[in-house]
Amino acid sequence: MASHRKLRAAAVVCAAVAVAGPASAAAWAAPPAAVRAAVQENAPLLPVPAPSPDPFADLTPDEIVDRAVTATQSATSLRMAGRVVSEGQQLDIDFAVNERDECTGLMKIDGGTAELRRVDDFTYMKGDEAFWRVSMASQGMSKPQIDATIELVKGRWLKIAPGQAGSSDLSGVCDLQGLLASLDEDKAEPGTLVRGPDGEVDGTPVATLVKKETGEETGTETTEPETTEPGTTEPEPAKPETTTVSVSQEGKPYILKMVKTGGEEPGSMTLSDFDKPVDVVVPPASETVDLSKLGQGTSA
């Protein structure tokens, strides 16, 4: 049926748009060397004595970051959890991903929650009503369209096969190597990092590396202020960005936390469970909505 095909396409688009955030989140969640990270919502790291001996005592901040990026990129799996803000929208994510592009986790946006699973190249997504409504409304769908689509997916998993609309966008969320590759991009100028006080992340001692950015460093151009209409207020300029990366001082020098304050996309991201198995459970067929069947106008 034509209505089914339209509803199917709308659901896939909403799913793809909704999860575009996590992929971006991982991309910005790079160390100061790659300059994209996220804002701290929690309390700052508490200073603690460095391990004796300090494993990074003879290294510059840039050398510490290089080792941290290499170690983190060598991981066969990890868990990524935190919050990012993009274009004023807050997104919370908690995903476990492995090198086979399998993943399982949760995302929350504007009070809505969705679970995502990917295994054997199939993606499964299950959102609550609030999640689907905010996702579809952001795409300009009418209330009748949203209501009809929600009836199709309510309490069920949206099953997206390889090659179907939205599949490539969703797969990017679970592309471990793709996410970690971003750590090597946009290298900062040598000497712009400083080492801050040592701290702890979930009980593990860490070295902290800090980079503060100005408009010139980020390529932001300075322009003359525009004339505003009487009675209007100019938006306040974003505060300068400060990016902090925490590197484990025990075992491999994994990046354990990335925090960005100020700027336009503040956020915080914690990495853990390196090299641990990622167990992805395939939802039972009775609880899924098969998009290919819907496209043929048959029963899900």
XYZ file of all heavy atoms in Angstrom, residues 35 187-189 192 211-223 238-241:
164
model
N 40.780 18.201 18.609
C 39.931 19.286 19.074
C 38.454 18.989 19.051
O 37.810 19.757 18.852
C 40.100 20.579 18.303
C 39.384 21.685 19.001
C 41.522 20.936 18.095
N 44.606 17.757 13.694
C 45.626 17.845 14.731
C 45.839 19.285 15.184
O 45.880 20.202 14.375
C 46.957 17.290 14.205
C 46.975 15.777 14.051
C 47.047 15.080 15.388
C 47.248 13.588 15.211
N 47.339 12.889 16.494
N 45.979 19.459 16.491
C 46.231 20.795 17.029
C 47.684 21.179 16.747
O 48.548 20.341 16.506
C 45.972 20.806 18.533
N 47.940 22.473 16.779
C 49.307 22.943 16.582
C 50.171 22.454 17.744
O 49.751 22.518 18.905
C 49.338 24.466 16.537
C 48.712 25.058 15.279
C 49.462 24.656 14.019
O 50.699 24.560 14.098
O 48.823 24.423 12.985
N 50.315 23.599 21.836
C 49.115 24.302 22.308
C 48.436 23.586 23.469
O 47.533 24.123 24.088
C 48.093 24.467 21.160
O 47.748 23.178 20.650
C 48.651 25.338 20.056
N 43.257 22.131 26.458
C 43.461 23.079 25.379
C 42.361 24.120 25.430
O 41.182 23.801 25.480
C 43.436 22.405 24.013
C 43.680 23.423 22.917
C 43.742 22.804 21.545
C 44.175 23.911 20.595
N 43.512 23.982 19.372
N 42.760 25.383 25.444
C 41.810 26.483 25.393
C 41.883 27.107 24.014
O 42.963 27.335 23.482
C 42.123 27.521 26.470
C 41.932 26.989 27.877
C 42.129 28.075 28.931
C 41.884 27.514 30.323
N 42.040 28.556 31.378
N 40.717 27.369 23.450
C 40.661 27.877 22.091
C 40.074 29.280 22.054
O 39.245 29.647 22.879
C 39.814 26.954 21.216
C 40.385 25.555 21.113
C 39.526 24.675 20.231
O 38.600 25.207 19.611
O 39.806 23.474 20.176
N 40.518 30.033 21.071
C 39.961 31.352 20.824
C 39.367 31.336 19.436
O 39.498 30.368 18.693
C 41.056 32.436 20.886
O 41.982 32.202 19.817
C 41.792 32.396 22.213
N 38.710 32.399 19.043
C 38.141 32.485 17.704
C 39.183 32.287 16.633
O 38.951 31.660 15.609
N 40.398 32.817 16.864
C 41.452 32.703 15.855
C 41.887 31.266 15.689
O 42.123 30.791 14.603
C 42.648 33.579 16.253
C 42.334 35.077 16.205
C 43.555 35.897 16.563
O 44.590 35.282 16.906
O 43.482 37.123 16.511
N 41.981 30.526 16.819
C 42.459 29.156 16.759
C 41.477 28.232 16.070
O 41.849 27.263 15.433
C 42.731 28.630 18.181
C 43.940 29.300 18.819
C 44.049 28.925 20.280
O 43.011 28.618 20.884
O 45.159 28.946 20.817
N 40.167 28.522 16.206
C 39.155 27.659 15.612
C 38.767 28.118 14.226
O 37.903 27.553 13.589
C 37.889 27.633 16.497
O 37.428 28.984 16.673
C 38.181 27.019 17.831
N 39.394 29.208 13.749
C 39.092 29.678 12.407
C 37.879 30.567 12.356
O 37.352 30.864 11.290
N 37.374 31.007 13.532
C 36.199 31.857 13.561
C 36.580 33.262 13.141
O 37.533 33.844 13.657
C 35.606 31.908 14.988
O 35.283 30.577 15.372
C 34.353 32.769 15.015
N 35.850 33.831 12.191
C 36.158 35.156 11.711
C 35.471 36.206 12.569
O 34.373 36.015 13.052
C 35.682 35.308 10.262
C 36.431 34.396 9.299
C 35.968 34.630 7.878
O 35.095 35.503 7.673
O 36.489 33.963 6.977
N 36.150 37.325 12.758
C 35.578 38.424 13.512
C 34.919 39.382 12.541
O 35.541 39.857 11.593
C 36.674 39.182 14.307
O 37.324 38.245 15.157
C 36.067 40.304 15.120
N 33.646 39.663 12.751
C 32.910 40.541 11.855
C 32.310 41.688 12.635
O 32.169 41.633 13.856
C 31.787 39.768 11.149
O 30.912 39.202 12.143
C 32.359 38.635 10.298
N 29.273 32.875 22.123
C 29.632 31.665 22.858
C 30.918 31.888 23.642
O 31.825 32.590 23.198
C 29.808 30.506 21.880
N 30.976 31.288 24.821
C 32.182 31.399 25.636
C 33.312 30.602 24.986
O 33.070 29.635 24.277
C 31.902 30.861 27.041
C 30.871 31.671 27.816
C 30.665 31.089 29.199
C 29.641 31.911 29.982
N 29.402 31.345 31.334
N 34.561 31.029 25.203
C 35.692 30.300 24.617
C 35.669 28.825 25.014
O 35.281 28.476 26.126
C 36.913 31.015 25.210
C 36.408 32.382 25.549
C 34.986 32.198 25.980
N 36.080 27.973 24.103
C 36.078 26.536 24.358
C 37.283 26.129 25.199
O 38.394 26.600 24.980
C 36.122 25.758 23.045
C 34.900 25.929 22.186
C 35.011 25.160 20.896
O 36.085 24.558 20.643
O 34.040 25.170 20.131
